[in-house]
Amino acid sequence: MSIPSGGPAAAPRVPEAVHRRRWAILGVLMFSLLIVVLDNSILNVAVKTIASPAPTGIGATQSELEWAINSYTLVFAGLLFTAGLLGDRIGRKKVLLAGILVFGVGSALAALSSSPGELITWRALMGFGAAFVMPATLAVLMNVFERDEQPKAIGIWAGSVGLGIAIGPITGGLLLEHFWWGSIFLVNVPVVVIALIAMAVLVPDSKDPAPGRVDPFGVVLSVIGLVLLVYGIIRGGELASFTDVTVLAPLIGGLLVLTAFVWHEKRSSHPSIDISYFRKPAFSAAVAAIALVFFALMGVTFFSAFYLQSVRGYTALESGLLILPLAAAQMVFAPRARLVVDRFGARAVCTVGMLLVAAGLAAFALFDADTPLWVLCLVFFVQGTGMAHIMPPVTVAVMQALPRERAGSGSAINNTFRQVGGALGIAVLGSVLSTVYRGDIEGHLDDVPAAARDVAGESIEATLGVAEKLGPAGRPLIAAANDAFIGAMHVTALGSAAVALIGAAVVAAFLPGRPPVPGEPDQARQAVGEPAHQS
């Protein structure tokens, strides 16, 4: 799964007391990660309910729904790198405990929101806490497992994401069936309490023993650059245009600031991150693959909730159950991905994984209002299988490229690229969906009162809301809205698949092949497609 050093096995670096309880520690880390993943997957099935008028929801518009998701993403992505650095410097356990506590407080406040504005604010606070949780879990993992066990541990860690994807929608659906919408956030609070107790008892603290001087200028540049970049991406998705000055200004500003960050880091005597790691093709290809796969998947995840609930008429719980095959595939295959990588190499495994993701996304272009359920389940299973054979190998490639002492920085890089890619996917693919939908539905709004015509064209939920108010006269508009949404979904799905194919090309070109097995003849290695001279 990684490029072997070729030398003798390294001496154990993990204290024996920690080593003995490493699997219990991994369980606590997975539980902590589960909180963050669970929250986002719950929210995806609740968007329709939150968009409903009070008392069912809070009447959030399409734009406000996107900001309820993106305010979290904006703060989360902007602080990930800083959070990783702080963990390396002051202690990963301290950062993890503080992050989960803030996340729990934000969850409780979000549950009590009385307006979309309040929900957006408390979601941002949750993103602040989550930014300190995500990199710390992976950094702790790298410091409680020896190098030879890290691929297995990372595979299990990645599989917990699949568990969160499964539990989230089902939990969200059950809560929405029996309680008010705020319960999807309130459920985080007892989970946070359990996680805090378990971490305090089991998880050891670790940090960089020689962190060097602080690089405050670099830290500030990274935060400003990431926030501007992600805000520009989100703003572009909100306006369904990337040529508006309010989009171009933060995008260009963010890129300029991040360029200045790279320039500063390359010349600093105490850089926050060693930029030379990006000169390694395997490292750069791994982080690019993370960004591309989440770009492709996040946009589809956002609109699939509307396809299942608005077009197909399934409840939030039923929609959650339909995503089970995707989660099950990740839970089954992610912990075993290292075995396939050992046999065929990271390049072959990740390329095939990317092609499976692309095939699953392209299949959405064939869906209509009557597609059989078994086809939906099969497509979700294929997507989950692809993801399970991408994320563990590329995460190992990123994390093992950096020294153990800089695990927080490595985890932050891994998660920053994932978040930026996901935000870009929601923004770009969301704007494509919105533009195509509006273009198709506008010709069917002639019978809608002029005052409501502009709002009715914003999204399928807005159109269906107007159609419901029209009574029997609105039935043709419902059919038109479903047709327009499916057409827009087809275009967006093909765009997503194209991005996944680009990811397949990147990993095929730059990730390492199968590592050599001591004593294995060259002919045997060539039989699986590896050149005899590769090492």
Side-chain angles (χ1 to χ4, degrees):
M1 189 166 290
S2 60
I3 303 174
S5 62
R13 298 183 59 192
V14 178
E16 180 60 28
V18 174
H19 182 73
R20 283 199 303 267
R21 64 176 191 269
R22 64 195 184 282
W23 297 111
I25 294 170
L26 178 60
V28 176
L29 297 177
M30 290 170 58
F31 195 63
S32 305
L33 178 66
L34 186 65
I35 301 171
V36 178
V37 177
L38 183 78
D39 175 74
N40 277 319
S41 56
I42 283 180
L43 186 58
N44 283 331
V45 300
V47 288
K48 186 174 183 292
T49 304
I50 295 173
S52 303
T56 303
I58 51 177
T61 64
Q62 180 83 6
S63 174
E64 288 168 338
L65 282 174
E66 289 183 7
W67 271 108
I69 294 172
N70 289 330
S71 63
Y72 178 98
T73 302
L74 182 64
V75 176
F76 186 53
L79 290 177
L80 268 173
F81 186 69
T82 302
L85 291 175
L86 284 175
D88 286 343
R89 181 168 294 275
I90 68 174
R92 289 137 194 159
K93 179 176 181 177
K94 298 183 186 71
V95 164
L96 187 54
L97 288 168
I100 289 185
L101 180 61
V102 171
F103 185 86
V105 172
S107 297
L109 293 171
L112 302 176
S113 300
S114 58
S115 68
E118 288 184 11
L119 178 60
I120 292 168
T121 300
W122 302 131
R123 284 280 297 166
L125 182 63
M126 293 169 68
F128 183 94
F132 289 84
V133 173
M134 183 71 83
T137 59
L138 192 51
V140 171
L141 181 154
M142 298 300 289
N143 280 272
V144 299
F145 284 90
E146 298 293 354
R147 188 178 180 86
D148 61 337
E149 281 191 322
Q150 286 171 0
K152 180 179 181 181
I154 288 175
I156 297 171
W157 179 87
S160 68
V161 175
L163 183 63
I165 292 172
I167 294 176
I170 297 170
T171 304
L174 287 169
L175 290 170
L176 293 172
E177 291 267 334
H178 299 96
F179 305 101
W180 98 114
W181 67 267
S183 61
I184 65 169
F185 297 112
L186 198 61
V187 73
N188 291 335
V189 176
V191 180
V192 163
V193 172
I194 295 170
L196 286 171
I197 295 171
M199 275 188 290
V201 173
L202 287 173
V203 176
D205 204 0
S206 62
K207 61 182 178 180
D208 188 342
R213 288 189 293 156
V214 180
D215 178 25
F217 187 59
V219 169
V220 170
L221 285 177
S222 72
V223 173
I224 294 174
L226 286 169
V227 168
L228 284 174
L229 178 64
V230 175
Y231 174 79
I233 292 169
I234 292 170
R235 181 66 176 161
E238 185 180 12
L239 297 179
S241 169
F242 285 83
T243 58
D244 189 275
V245 66
T246 61
V247 177
L248 288 176
L251 277 178
I252 295 172
L255 291 172
L256 288 175
V257 173
L258 290 175
T259 301
F261 168 73
V262 172
W263 182 87
H264 169 74
E265 295 298 293
K266 290 174 70 175
R267 285 156 181 78
S268 175
S269 60
H270 49 287
S272 298
I273 180 65
D274 189 345
I275 300 299
S276 65
Y277 287 114
F278 285 92
R279 298 195 188 112
K280 300 178 181 180
F283 182 87
S284 295
V287 295
I290 291 168
L292 288 169
V293 75
F294 273 88
F295 178 101
L297 278 173
M298 288 303 290
V300 173
T301 300
F302 184 71
F303 72 65
S304 64
F306 289 99
Y307 167 69
L308 293 172
Q309 296 182 47
S310 299
V311 176
R312 300 299 298 265
Y314 296 120
T315 64
L317 176 58
E318 289 167 340
S319 298
L321 290 171
L322 285 172
I323 300 175
L324 265 179
L326 185 148
Q330 287 201 52
M331 291 168 60
V332 170
F333 294 118
R336 295 167 175 79
R338 76 190 190 285
L339 303 176
V340 187
V341 171
D342 288 342
R343 178 69 179 88
F344 298 105
R347 180 195 305 150
V349 173
C350 290
T351 300
V352 172
M354 279 293 212
L355 292 174
L356 287 175
V357 170
L361 294 171
F364 273 87
L366 304 176
F367 288 0
D368 56 31
D370 301 311
T371 300
L373 284 182
W374 71 265
V375 175
L376 297 180
C377 292
L378 177 62
V379 168
F380 282 131
F381 186 82
V382 168
Q383 285 183 324
T385 302
M387 285 289 292
H389 289 89
I390 298 169
M391 296 314 297
V394 297
T395 302
V396 169
V398 171
M399 296 304 297
Q400 291 195 342
L402 276 70
R404 185 192 297 263
E405 293 76 18
R406 308 299 299 274
S409 300
S411 180
I413 291 170
N414 177 74
N415 287 295
T416 297
F417 274 82
R418 184 173 73 173
Q419 286 301 311
V420 171
L424 194 58
I426 290 174
V428 174
L429 299 176
S431 66
V432 170
L433 182 76
S434 177
T435 301
V436 176
Y437 177 80
R438 181 179 284 274
D440 287 347
I441 199 63
E442 278 181 347
H444 301 275
L445 300 178
D446 295 337
D447 295 331
V448 175
R453 198 167 296 161
D454 189 57
V455 174
E458 280 188 358
S459 66
I460 185 172
E461 276 302 302
T463 308
L464 294 177
V466 170
E468 186 176 348
K469 293 178 181 177
L470 293 176
R475 288 174 185 167
L477 184 57
I478 293 175
N482 288 339
D483 290 341
F485 182 86
I486 289 173
M489 182 180 73
H490 290 170
V491 173
T492 309
L494 291 175
S496 304
V499 172
L501 288 176
I502 294 172
V506 169
V507 298
F510 298 110
L511 280 187
R514 185 167 75 96
V517 177
E520 180 184 29
D522 285 347
Q523 294 87 341
R525 289 168 54 206
Q526 289 175 325
V528 293
E530 293 301 324
H533 65 271
Q534 186 169 347
S535 60

